[in-house]
Each structure stands twice: as structure tokens, then as C-alpha cells.
Amino acid sequence: RSRAFVLALCYALGMSIINAALGLIAGLSGMRIGFIFQYTPVVIGVSALFVVLALGMVGVFNMQVPSSVQTKLNQIGGQGPLGVMLMGLVAGVVASPCSTPVLTGIVTVIVLGQIGAVKGAALMGAFSAGLGLPFVILGTFSGLLGALPRSGNWMNAVKFVFGAMLMAAAFYFLKLGVPDEVFTVVLGTAFILAGAYALFLPAIGSVGKVIALRRAGGVLGVAGGAAILLLGVRTMPFAPAATASQ
């Protein structure tokens, strides 16, 4: 068991090293190019990037290294602690379709923010530690593998939660770069589209309560989005004033 613990720890350490190095590079880059965040097109571009990441998180498309590159990288490694650590380094580079959007979002925040190189490395290291902890636990206590929950709709729910967090980050950056009335219109439109998606999403593999809850959320999304959109349109510069008919 002690050998299994060491090997699992080396694997997680390899993931942490490569991602901490990535955070360090992103932090150093942010110290040099962070000023571009003052320009509106850059802010809007970052917002659009987070929208893409959110869509990738919920499975609209997969974000991962091309399979040909993965095949070559997966050949790196070997037996023993050093070989397992190299495998962890590769795993940190290749990543998975589930973690890539979150990882890319963190790197973007580090580059654009005033976090700095040290804090950037620490942030990415903490992210990797969270990813590696299950490997250490399961590698040490292999008997726990049978107690893991089976894949199912709960995994999709987790992905949607992270997707919602990435979408919230997109709207945060958008609000910094556009007028309030434009932001309100975009926000309302997004709620309408999200609600419509929840209403008309195929109910394959879902139980009755989940379907009912999703449809209720869809109705609330469409209704709330319509109200927000109307508010934004009424505050647009071209909207007729309330006193025009008086």
C-alpha cells in the first residue's frame, strides 16, 4: 500500500508541476500584457471566450488535444516513481474534455488580472491538487473503487453547474466592456435561449422529476429573460421616452 501511495502521489505531483508552471507563465505574461484589458474589444473577446468554454463544458463540443498528439504523449512515462510522474506531467498537458474549459478559464483570468506570477502558480497548483487528490486516495485504497458512484445524469448536472459558472464569468467580463443597457439586452436574450433549451432538450434518460424540474426552470428562464430584455430595450437610447405621449 505504501508503494501505491508513492506512485499515486508522484502522478498527482506531475500534474501539479506542469499546471503550476503554466500558471507561472500566465502570471508573468499578465504583468506585461495585462494593460490590454483596458480596451473594450479585448473585454468583449474574453467574454466570448468564456461563452465558448461554457458551451464546451456542457458538451456542445469537446475541447481536447488532437488524438494524434495524445497518442504520442501517452507513450511518455514508464515504471517507477519517475515514470509515473512523467505520466502525470502528460496528463496535465493533455487534460480531459471536462477539465479543459475550467483550466483555460483560470489561465485567462491569471493573464488578464493583477494576480502575479507567484499567485498564478499557486492558483494553478491548487487546481491540480484538487484534481490529483482522488488519484492519491483511490491509488492508495483501491478497495474504494467499488464504492464510487456509477456514471449517469448526475455527472451531466455537475458539468452544467461548472458551465453556469463559466457563463457567469462571461457576463461579468461583458458588463465591464459594454453599456448597461446593452448588457441588459444580452443578458435577457441569454436567459430566453437557456430557458428554451431547457424546455425543448430531449428527455432521453431523464426521470419524471428531473424533466419536470427542468421544464419549470425553462419557463422561469424564458419569462425572466423576457422581462430583462424588455427592461433593456426600454432603456436603449433609441427607445421612446415615457413622456413622449404626454
Side-chain angles (χ1 to χ4, degrees):
R1 177 169 294 183
S2 59
R3 176 175 173 77
F5 170 76
V6 171
L7 293 178
L9 185 62
C10 288
Y11 184 85
L13 185 60
M15 294 176 59
S16 298
I17 289 174
I18 189 67
N19 284 327
L22 183 59
L24 180 65
I25 295 172
L28 291 173
S29 301
M31 295 172 64
R32 294 180 177 274
I33 65 173
F35 69 92
I36 65 174
F37 192 58
Q38 300 174 4
Y39 298 98
T40 299
V42 175
V43 179
I44 296 176
V46 172
S47 176
L49 173 62
F50 272 93
V51 171
V52 173
L53 295 177
L55 295 177
M57 188 74 249
V58 300
V60 175
F61 56 88
N62 288 331
M63 298 182 61
Q64 58 184 3
V65 177
S67 57
S68 58
V69 178
Q70 288 190 37
T71 301
K72 294 181 180 179
L73 291 176
N74 288 334
Q75 297 174 356
I76 299 176
Q79 299 180 353
L82 180 59
V84 173
M85 183 178 294
L86 290 175
M87 292 173 62
L89 289 170
V90 172
V93 173
V94 173
S96 67
C98 294
S99 62
T100 300
V102 178
L103 184 65
T104 306
I106 295 175
V107 172
T108 303
V109 171
I110 294 174
V111 171
L112 295 178
Q114 303 297 326
I115 296 178
V118 176
K119 291 183 179 180
L123 183 61
M124 290 292 290
F127 175 78
S128 300
L131 286 179
L133 183 60
F135 290 99
V136 175
I137 296 175
L138 295 174
T140 306
F141 306 98
S142 57
L144 295 176
L145 289 172
L148 290 176
R150 296 183 179 181
S151 60
N153 288 327
W154 69 271
M155 297 182 65
N156 293 327
V158 173
K159 291 169 62 176
F160 271 93
V161 169
F162 280 101
M165 293 171 62
L166 289 169
M167 190 63 74
F171 283 114
Y172 169 78
F173 285 110
L174 182 64
K175 186 172 177 57
L176 298 178
V178 299
D180 290 342
E181 56 271 15
V182 175
F183 172 77
T184 304
V185 170
V186 175
L187 181 63
T189 304
F191 268 103
I192 293 175
L193 293 176
Y197 179 78
L199 283 173
F200 297 105
L201 182 70
I204 299 176
S206 299
V207 297
K209 292 183 178 179
V210 175
I211 296 175
L213 182 62
R214 191 184 65 202
R215 288 177 177 173
V219 171
L220 291 176
V222 172
I228 296 173
L229 179 61
L230 180 60
L231 176 64
V233 171
R234 288 176 61 87
T235 57
M236 293 291 282
F238 58 80
T243 58
S245 61
Q246 295 181 2

